[in-house]
Amino acid sequence: MKKNLFIIGLGLIGGSLGLALRESPLVNKIWGFDVDQEAEKKALELGIIDEALPLREGASQAGVVFLCTPLRTFPAIIEEIGDVLRPETLITDVGSTKENVMHIFKKLPRGVWGIGGHPMAGSEIKGINGADRYLFENAVYVLTPPPDVPEEALGYLQELLVFTGARVKIMEASYHDRLVATISHVPHLAAAALVNLTEGKDDNLMMAAGGFRDTTRIASSSPELWQDILFSNREYVGEKLEAFIALLSRMRKALADDDREALYKELKQAKIIRDQIPHKRKGLLPEFSEIVCIVPDQPGIIGKIGEILGSADINIVDIEILRAREGDGGSIRIGVKDRETAEKAVERLKSFAIKAWVR
Amino acid sequence: MKKNLFIIGLGLIGGSLGLALRESPLVNKIWGFDVDQEAEKKALELGIIDEALPLREGASQAGVVFLCTPLRTFPAIIEEIGDVLRPETLITDVGSTKENVMHIFKKLPRGVWGIGGHPMAGSEIKGINGADRYLFENAVYVLTPPPDVPEEALGYLQELLVFTGARVKIMEASYHDRLVATISHVPHLAAAALVNLTEGKDDNLMMAAGGFRDTTRIASSSPELWQDILFSNREYVGEKLEAFIALLSRMRKALADDDREALYKELKQAKIIRDQIPHKRKGLLPEFSEIVCIVPDQPGIIGKIGEILGSADINIVDIEILRAREGDGGSIRIGVKDRETAEKAVERLKSFAIKAWVR
């Protein structure tokens, strides 16, 4: 059965949901609302929504309401739209903690179903300009339904979200909140503390190589947003932060005692666990083989490489400029479907005097 | 004056140095040695070295010896080659700590100059297969010369390394070691502890989104290598780790006291400092503007996009496949030189029915 969607908050997540759900057979119209009229305009332009509607108007006509605004705005929005929601309307959110949201959803009128949601996806580009139809591809999307939700309501939402490419996982709100404390909130605090450890000194920052940049990237996120998130999950975060401090203190002791074996064990365990986390996948691309080629810096070189490979029926499944120097050249990483194709691609590029090898 | 280089250890760094220095006007021949004969073979194949030579033979003829093996092998190598080094030979390393290396270099014969080196660059691909001519582009390359080094010896090495594209910084070994404790060694321990906090539980790992992956990427490094690095810088690491634990304890207290303002201050400070660290640059590319386009999944599409833009004289300075779904399509990020070009590129792509917008 097709439903109309109403997306409240047209930012990165709201915008990406609109793009991803546009062509779902389960969707009729997509309406949107944002306090920022520019975002509404942009959403119309990009085909994210069919129409911008005021809060109460959209809410009164929608089959599913997506709350894609910051956590702290939820109570006011529910207050504003609660009385116009029709029975059997589904309301779901995309906030980072779920116990508190489920608590807020308890205020919904009878017959309106509030199902907590948390897509574990993001982008360094915030706001609607980061909207991407494939943002949720292969990402985990947690749903925390209330115990009394009708099966067909939950089933509809699940099926709808599968269309985004996400892997939908159903769990209890408190369980979710404990998991994100470990996997997201404490890492966030750690990143902030690592950055503060530099005291902002120039010599420290100058030395920041790729490792430090990666480790602390999330410390550039909005402090307002994260203050909200962390305090909305205060107890679990506190508990896990304490456990984290205990682990670090153990390492500190190993260093102080010159106990090489003890520290080695910690590093080894971390490597074993970390290696189990799948590589950052760019969606549902299958595994592929990689080649690297060194190219001269000249206009159109990427098109040329695409042509050289394309004319030999070699499809590029991934491409990245690794490093480059203006006016000189650079190295490009290219992914192709398998080892055999990679070797073929290398031969082909070499025949055009482009230095290339299989990684 | 041209010198012959001898690279001991043909891995990621040794291999990249060879590739980067091949065409330097300051270099005559590049010889190499590795305990792994396969690495030597590959180095010859990739044109990284002119010839593979045994340790003592290479060392006796070289003007500059690069030690690109793990720290713990240095004493044995110096022992092995010390007596064949000619006066005025330069020996330099690429290890992650410098006080201990400078200590080892004290055993060099009179007239041989040991200058500590640390290029702050790396790659997720280890070994010679990761070798990249542009690895050091725009990276900091620290040199820690002994106080009595002749000006022309240090000058030669500096000039040589500038050719790799690195920014050479000269500092005292102890100062370097304190900086890397803050910017590299404590972050490494933090990453390992964050991973161990998950206890390797499936539900935790399943939830690991991009943020956690980035923050803990370095925990996948070799525990043997890092045990060496951390204990070779034990005192400074211990000191900075203690400071890190103190920062985290302050955050823990803010959460326990429900002191939103105190935690906000920490997050805000981290953001201000983190935002000062330049973006991960892929070399000396100038700033550029970005567009995103949604493309159908079809063979040769990247070549086609390259052609479409190339034929309009639009040069792609960066390209990345953001996300994709096999048999469906994906989104590609393209960097072009400025905003105006970006708008032109969008128009051009749209005229070929490719959905695109400026980010």
Side-chain angles (χ1 to χ4, degrees), chain A residues 99-128:
Chain A
E99 263 188 336
N100 59 337
V101 173
M102 293 316 286
H103 189 73
I104 295 168
F105 281 171
K106 285 206 175 114
K107 306 227 167 105
L108 289 168
R110 270 178 65 89
V112 172
W113 301 106
I115 300 178
H118 182 203
M120 308 286 289
S123 161
E124 69 292 4
I125 315 270
K126 296 301 162 207
I128 196 148

Side-chain angles (χ1 to χ4, degrees), chain B residues 344-358:
Chain B
K344 193 173 142 197
V346 164
E347 282 317 303
R348 181 94 181 138
L349 289 167
K350 279 184 175 166
S351 74
F352 284 82
I354 294 170
K355 202 163 172 177
W357 61 93
V358 177

Side-chain angles (χ1 to χ4, degrees), chain B residues 138-326:
Chain B
N138 213 32
V140 168
Y141 197 128
V142 174
L143 290 180
T144 61
D148 57 344
V149 72
E151 214 172 290
E152 64 272 23
L154 179 59
Y156 172 85
L157 190 59
Q158 259 184 290
E159 223 185 305
L160 180 69
L161 292 173
V162 163
F163 198 78
T164 66
R167 294 180 288 144
V168 177
K169 304 275 176 192
I170 291 175
M171 59 181 77
E172 273 206 63
S174 61
Y175 188 69
H176 166 275
D177 287 359
R178 227 169 298 151
L179 289 182
V180 290
T182 302
I183 215 79
S184 169
H185 302 171
V186 170
H188 197 94
L189 290 169
L194 285 173
V195 169
N196 289 341
L197 190 62
T198 67
E199 299 173 55
K201 285 180 187 157
D202 285 349
D203 278 357
N204 275 318
L205 300 185
M206 164 197 84
M207 299 281 278
F212 188 79
R213 281 207 199 85
D214 286 349
T215 311
T216 62
R217 186 179 61 86
I218 50 178
S220 268
S221 317
S222 154
E224 290 80 13
L225 198 72
W226 275 90
Q227 183 195 35
D228 270 14
I229 294 174
L230 292 163
F231 278 95
S232 76
N233 200 19
R234 201 181 127 203
E235 252 176 71
Y236 296 133
V237 176
E239 199 180 286
K240 294 297 178 188
L241 181 54
E242 208 149 284
F244 179 55
I245 291 172
L247 285 173
L248 291 168
S249 303
R250 219 157 70 187
M251 291 172 167
R252 171 78 188 91
K253 185 169 183 315
L255 281 168
D257 298 349
D258 209 359
D259 186 346
R260 296 175 65 96
E261 194 48 39
L263 192 67
Y264 176 81
K265 271 187 195 154
E266 307 273 350
L267 298 174
K268 180 79 184 171
Q269 190 199 346
K271 182 178 168 56
I272 290 171
I273 296 175
R274 183 61 182 73
D275 286 348
Q276 287 168 39
I277 299 179
H279 282 271
K280 194 165 188 167
R281 300 189 64 188
K282 295 174 171 180
L284 290 176
L285 290 174
E287 290 301 307
F288 50 78
S289 283
E290 294 184 339
I291 65 171
V292 172
C293 59
I294 305 273
V295 297
D297 181 44
Q298 56 186 54
I301 187 72
I302 288 171
K304 200 180 156 200
I305 287 178
E307 249 179 84
I308 290 173
L309 297 179
S311 62
D313 276 332
I314 295 167
N315 194 20
I316 297 176
V317 297
D318 197 16
I319 184 165
E320 184 190 6
I321 294 181
L322 293 173
R323 288 160 205 96
R325 187 189 295 185
E326 208 189 1

Side-chain angles (χ1 to χ4, degrees), chain A residues 46 120 122 125 129 131-135 137 140 142 163-165 169 175 179 182-183 189-190 192-198 200 203-207 209 212-221 223-224 227-228 230-231 234 237-238 241-244 247-248 251-252 255-256 258-260 263-264 266 269-271 273-278 280 282-284 299-300 302-303 306-307 315-325 328-331 355 357 359, chain B residues 46 120 122 125 129 131-132 134-135 137 140 142 163-165 169 175 179 182-183 187 189-190 192-198 200 203-207 209 212-221 223-224 227-228 230-231 234 237-238 241-244 247-248 251-252 255-256 258-260 263-264 266 269-271 273-278 280 282-284 299-300 302-303 306 315-325 328-331 355 357 359:
Chain A
L46 295 174
M120 308 286 289
I125 315 270
N129 284 325
D132 183 338
R133 185 240 175 287
Y134 298 97
L135 185 68
E137 194 68 48
V140 169
V142 174
F163 198 79
T164 64
K169 304 274 174 192
Y175 188 69
L179 290 181
T182 302
I183 213 78
L189 290 170
L194 285 173
V195 169
N196 289 342
L197 190 62
T198 68
D203 277 356
N204 277 318
L205 301 185
M206 163 198 84
M207 299 281 279
F212 188 79
R213 282 208 197 84
D214 286 350
T215 311
T216 61
R217 187 179 59 88
I218 49 179
S220 269
S221 318
E224 289 80 12
Q227 183 195 36
D228 269 15
L230 292 163
F231 278 94
R234 199 182 128 202
V237 176
L241 182 53
E242 209 148 283
F244 179 56
L247 285 174
L248 291 168
M251 292 173 166
R252 171 78 189 92
L255 282 168
D258 208 0
D259 187 345
R260 295 175 66 95
L263 191 68
Y264 176 80
E266 307 272 351
Q269 191 199 346
K271 179 177 169 57
I273 296 174
R274 182 61 182 71
D275 285 349
Q276 286 167 40
I277 300 178
K280 194 165 190 168
K282 293 173 171 182
L284 289 177
I302 288 171
E307 249 180 84
N315 193 19
I316 298 174
V317 298
D318 197 15
I319 186 166
E320 183 189 6
I321 294 180
L322 292 174
R323 289 160 205 96
R325 186 189 295 184
D328 180 352
S331 43
K355 202 162 172 179
W357 62 92
R359 257 212 173 159
Chain B
L46 295 174
M120 309 286 289
I125 315 268
N129 284 322
D132 183 337
Y134 298 97
L135 185 68
E137 194 68 50
V140 168
V142 174
F163 198 78
T164 66
K169 304 275 176 192
Y175 188 69
L179 289 182
T182 302
I183 215 79
L189 290 169
L194 285 173
V195 169
N196 289 341
L197 190 62
T198 67
D203 278 357
N204 275 318
L205 300 185
M206 164 197 84
M207 299 281 278
F212 188 79
R213 281 207 199 85
D214 286 349
T215 311
T216 62
R217 186 179 61 86
I218 50 178
S220 268
S221 317
E224 290 80 13
Q227 183 195 35
D228 270 14
L230 292 163
F231 278 95
R234 201 181 127 203
V237 176
L241 181 54
E242 208 149 284
F244 179 55
L247 285 173
L248 291 168
M251 291 172 167
R252 171 78 188 91
L255 281 168
D258 209 359
D259 186 346
R260 296 175 65 96
L263 192 67
Y264 176 81
E266 307 273 350
Q269 190 199 346
K271 182 178 168 56
I273 296 175
R274 183 61 182 73
D275 286 348
Q276 287 168 39
I277 299 179
K280 194 165 188 167
K282 295 174 171 180
L284 290 176
I302 288 171
N315 194 20
I316 297 176
V317 297
D318 197 16
I319 184 165
E320 184 190 6
I321 294 181
L322 293 173
R323 288 160 205 96
R325 187 189 295 185
D328 181 351
S331 43
K355 202 163 172 177
W357 61 93
R359 257 213 172 156

